[in-house]
Amino acid sequence: MRSSLEKIALGGGCHWCTEAVFQSLIGVEEVEQGYVASNADNSSFSEAVVVHFNSEVIPLKRLIEIHLYTHRSISMHSMRGKYRSAVYTYSKIQKEKAIKIIENLQPDFNNKLITKVHSFEAFKASREELHNYYLTDPQKPFCKTFIAPKLKMLLGQFSENIKSDYKN
């Protein structure tokens, strides 16, 4: 019997924001905040999270869809080296699925998605005091300015996937 616990790494914006977004989802068991590297041109570390999820509760397609809607997945900017818009996969099959998911979601966006699918190569955790950034103090100015609006958008667009303690 196949285990339904999987993992995927996602990068796009600040890992504090990305961590909070995925911690709010039903079916996400753990979110590791830090830096991910791929290979070749993408071998430098970029802010990202590793999401451990139950694919029977929240499928990969929904995770990628939420990822695309919660960061600037259609725009290049000067910080793309630090904030690579990416999905990092752990297997060839997962990579093929992720590419297909992004292709199928493209019509939902007015501009071309810039999010790339890369092979996961390495992870470095961020400093311990940065983990659970939003959960530690949601009243911090950064949380109120950048994270809370993303969580509010999630409630409006993906409420069936949001944990009840995030709905208050």
Side-chain angles (χ1 to χ4, degrees), residues 39-157:
N39 49 32
D41 292 341
N42 300 294
S43 62
S44 63
F45 283 92
S46 180
E47 289 193 24
V49 295
V50 176
V51 178
H52 301 256
F53 65 102
N54 181 332
S55 60
E56 291 178 4
V57 177
I58 187 161
L60 182 61
K61 178 184 185 289
R62 181 50 54 104
L63 288 175
I64 291 175
E65 181 180 20
I66 287 169
H67 179 56
L68 295 176
Y69 278 103
T70 55
H71 81 283
R72 293 159 114 189
S73 60
I74 56 171
S75 67
M76 291 301 289
H77 54 74
S78 62
M79 297 296 285
R80 275 291 171 223
K82 183 178 180 180
Y83 305 124
R84 191 179 297 129
S85 180
V87 174
Y88 300 93
T89 58
Y90 287 82
S91 69
K92 185 177 180 179
I93 291 169
Q94 192 181 50
K95 187 173 190 171
E96 290 168 0
K97 283 182 188 177
I99 290 169
K100 189 59 128 178
I101 289 166
I102 291 171
E103 287 173 359
N104 289 339
L105 289 169
Q106 177 60 67
D108 297 344
F109 292 83
N110 293 328
N111 296 312
K112 176 135 178 63
L113 290 165
I114 62 163
T115 307
K116 303 293 183 210
V117 179
H118 302 295
S119 298
F120 176 92
E121 292 294 327
F123 176 77
K124 289 191 308 189
S126 57
R127 296 186 326 266
E128 183 70 33
E129 63 268 16
L130 300 177
H131 296 186
N132 299 307
Y133 191 81
Y134 180 80
L135 293 175
T136 303
D137 183 2
Q139 297 307 312
K140 287 181 226 161
F142 183 90
C143 294
K144 290 170 81 173
T145 302
F146 297 102
I147 299 173
K150 291 179 187 220
L151 296 176
K152 184 176 181 182
M153 184 280 300
L154 284 175
L155 272 174
Q157 197 166 342

